[in-house]
Amino acid sequence: MRFSSVEEWKGAYSISSGYNSTHIFLNPTLEFIEEFKASLPDDSLALTNNDSSQWSVGTATSIRARFFFLNERLTIREIIDSTLVGTFVTLGTIETIDTERGWQYLSCKYHNKKVMPTTNVDDNDRPLFFCNTCDKEHIDVISRFKLIAHVKDDSGEANFLLFDANAQQIVRNSAAELYDENEDEDFLPEAVSDLFGKRVFFEISVDADNIKGKSSQYVVRLATDDREMVEEFADLPPKPVLMLESADDISSSSGGFTATPLSKRKSEQDEDSCLEDQHSVNKKLKGE
């Protein structure tokens, strides 16, 4: 029986297995391992990859990868017309924020769930709030963002819903920093109103309720107003649309032509083929 060994070749180490067994040693005392451990800094900082251009499965996917590689880019009109559940990216300008439904909500500090005000107060005359998750009244609440942004591009407009973390990315403040319980509920902090007219890069979800028309709000999974990324995305060439042309498309009266999308033409051809097959069957039955 031959046991495993650790071998080096050109600075790379590998485990070679035996005929019918493999020994893997955990925390072994080997010279090259001890040298590596000794070279590590004597602090509590985690080792990370500082190259933001590198990303791979198994590590935190970079923002750039999500916007430029992993998700399909759509216009707002294509998002509205989508019949597929999925995650997409788009670039749009924030026109307004819906103040009628508020820009923030009070939540439990421990569960991130919305709390309901009560008429009760604590021993220090502070108002109490009821948390369904805690199943009790307490004063430990905090303001969090819930922005309904009306976003527009050249193709259309839609409502994008940004919850706390994603809203903070573009507001540059936390809701707790901006919230004033003495202000009118319709009052919009300046840091939020500064979003009007700003171009923002969105990663959004299209779910079944959006497709069925039960919800007109698209949940934002990630948002950034990074100027370089926004400009790079805006400069991307339009997506190609595959079109087929034929002699039938040419208009003799105008001298021009019309193009039919491939998907539609294939559907028409399939329909014609079905009609021909049905005609052949009927003709055969009559001749029998």
Side-chain angles (χ1 to χ4, degrees):
M1 179 180 295
R2 182 165 61 90
F3 297 103
S4 302
S5 62
V6 178
E7 300 177 353
E8 177 188 2
W9 188 73
K10 292 186 177 182
Y13 295 90
S14 62
I15 297 175
S16 58
S17 61
Y19 292 112
N20 56 7
S21 66
T22 297
H23 281 191
I24 299 177
F25 297 94
L26 300 178
N27 296 322
T29 304
L30 298 175
E31 183 179 355
F32 73 91
I33 293 178
E34 296 302 320
E35 289 177 357
F36 173 74
K37 290 166 65 176
S39 69
L40 295 175
D42 186 19
D43 55 33
S44 60
L45 298 178
L47 295 177
T48 59
N49 181 6
N50 291 326
D51 185 357
S52 61
S53 66
Q54 301 297 318
W55 56 275
S56 63
V57 176
T59 62
T61 305
S62 74
I63 293 177
R64 178 178 177 78
R66 290 168 66 173
F67 279 123
F68 288 94
F69 300 103
L70 297 183
N71 297 306
E72 182 182 0
R73 58 186 172 109
L74 297 180
T75 64
I76 290 180
R77 172 48 55 187
E78 289 173 329
I79 290 172
I80 295 172
D81 293 341
S82 175
T83 58
L84 297 176
V85 171
T87 304
F88 307 95
V89 293
T90 194
L91 178 64
T93 301
I94 295 178
E95 296 286 299
T96 59
I97 299 292
D98 186 349
T99 56
E100 290 186 2
R101 284 176 280 188
W103 59 274
Q104 61 83 41
Y105 66 99
L106 292 178
S107 72
C108 175
K109 279 186 177 180
Y110 311 111
H111 302 106
N112 194 22
K113 300 295 184 180
K114 186 176 181 179
V115 295
M116 300 301 296
T118 70
T119 57
N120 301 323
V121 296
D122 66 0
D123 295 338
N124 296 317
D125 205 30
R126 293 175 297 184
L128 292 171
F129 299 84
F130 183 79
C131 173
N132 282 322
T133 306
C134 295
D135 195 25
K136 66 178 182 179
E137 297 177 346
H138 58 71
I139 62 169
D140 297 326
V141 298
I142 189 172
S143 175
R144 301 184 191 274
F145 281 116
K146 184 181 179 182
L147 299 181
I148 302 176
H150 190 72
V151 183
K152 185 177 182 179
D153 68 4
D154 292 337
S155 71
E157 51 195 72
N159 291 324
F160 288 178
L161 176 58
L162 297 96
F163 285 105
D164 198 53
N166 289 316
Q168 284 192 47
Q169 292 295 319
I170 56 177
V171 176
R172 305 288 193 273
N173 292 97
S174 69
E177 292 171 331
L178 303 177
Y179 175 68
D180 184 348
E181 61 181 7
N182 296 318
E183 289 284 0
D184 188 276
E185 291 183 358
D186 293 336
F187 173 77
L188 202 60
E190 184 177 354
V192 178
S193 62
D194 283 345
L195 295 176
F196 296 175
K198 178 174 286 189
R199 299 176 81 192
V200 179
F201 209 173
F202 296 98
E203 180 190 71
I204 61 96
S205 292
V206 175
D207 60 26
D209 286 342
N210 295 134
I211 295 173
K212 295 176 182 177
K214 294 181 180 180
S215 175
S216 60
Q217 299 173 14
Y218 297 88
V219 176
V220 175
R221 298 169 58 93
L222 188 65
T224 180
D225 58 353
D226 180 84
R227 180 178 298 179
E228 291 185 2
M229 291 181 63
V230 166
E231 291 179 353
E232 182 179 354
F233 188 82
D235 290 339
L236 290 175
K239 295 184 301 181
V241 178
L242 184 59
M243 311 290 279
L244 292 182
E245 301 171 16
S246 67
D248 294 336
D249 294 324
I250 301 176
S251 172
S252 58
S253 59
S254 61
F257 69 91
T258 59
T260 304
L262 176 60
S263 59
K264 183 178 180 182
R265 179 165 301 282
K266 187 177 184 301
S267 176
E268 292 173 349
Q269 291 174 344
D270 291 343
E271 183 178 353
D272 291 341
S273 177
C274 290
L275 290 175
E276 290 177 1
D277 292 341
Q278 182 179 2
H279 178 71
S280 299
V281 171
N282 292 338
K283 184 176 180 181
K284 184 178 179 180
L285 289 172
K286 289 180 179 180
E288 290 178 350

